[in-house]
Amino acid sequence: QLQLVESGGGLAQPGGSLRLSCAATGFTVDYYTIGWFRQAPGKERERVSCISSSDSTTFYIDSVKGRFTISRDNAENLVYLEMNTLKPEDTAVYYCAASIIDCTVLGDPRQGDYDYWGQGTQVTVSS
């Protein structure tokens, strides 16, 4: 059974930090692109970041560049999203997902190209 489980969400103040974790079971993350997505209340799910399986390629949407960092710990079958300088507009449910399509600087793969999804973790940024 192939599964992804997110953790690390919670409440942060504006300007604060959180680190989200994505744990994989049933497969090894080093063979997949791992992406992070988020969905705010009443809004469509949007891609946030991805990291490639076979090289160091990463992608971030403009609104999180310089604030968020995606990384891998393949030995532990984990992918992280370090979120710094958090803003209220970062409030959302955050999801990780896995794809066989390479992560590119243009932001591919898109939502439809991801094969496996976690169930999400809530991030709330409020004073």
Side-chain angles (χ1 to χ4, degrees):
Q1 185 175 354
L2 307 179
Q3 292 184 309
L4 296 170
V5 179
E6 304 93 337
S7 62
L11 178 65
Q13 63 182 359
S17 298
L18 287 172
R19 186 179 67 178
L20 306 183
S21 298
C22 176
T25 60
F27 66 101
T28 53
V29 298
D30 53 304
Y31 289 105
Y32 291 84
T33 287
I34 302 297
W36 284 96
F37 294 77
R38 66 186 181 186
Q39 187 168 23
K43 296 185 177 180
E44 296 292 320
R45 188 175 301 180
E46 67 172 344
R47 73 190 193 279
V48 176
S49 180
C50 63
I51 185 167
S52 62
S53 61
S54 59
D55 58 33
S56 60
T57 302
T58 58
F59 165 82
Y60 304 91
I61 57 173
D62 288 344
S63 61
V64 308
K65 284 181 179 177
R67 300 191 297 119
F68 290 12
T69 303
I70 189 170
S71 62
R72 289 178 174 271
D73 185 348
N74 287 340
E76 299 296 329
N77 228 23
L78 291 171
V79 175
Y80 300 103
L81 185 68
E82 180 74 31
M83 305 185 297
N84 299 309
T85 319
L86 283 163
K87 304 175 180 180
E89 52 262 43
D90 296 319
T91 296
V93 177
Y94 283 72
Y95 301 87
C96 65
S99 175
I100 62 171
I101 305 298
D102 288 341
C103 178
T104 75
V105 296
L106 300 178
D108 295 322
R110 305 305 173 103
Q111 288 190 54
D113 298 317
Y114 284 86
D115 303 295
Y116 310 108
W117 291 80
Q119 60 188 343
T121 185
Q122 176 71 48
V123 171
T124 302
V125 184
S126 176
S127 60

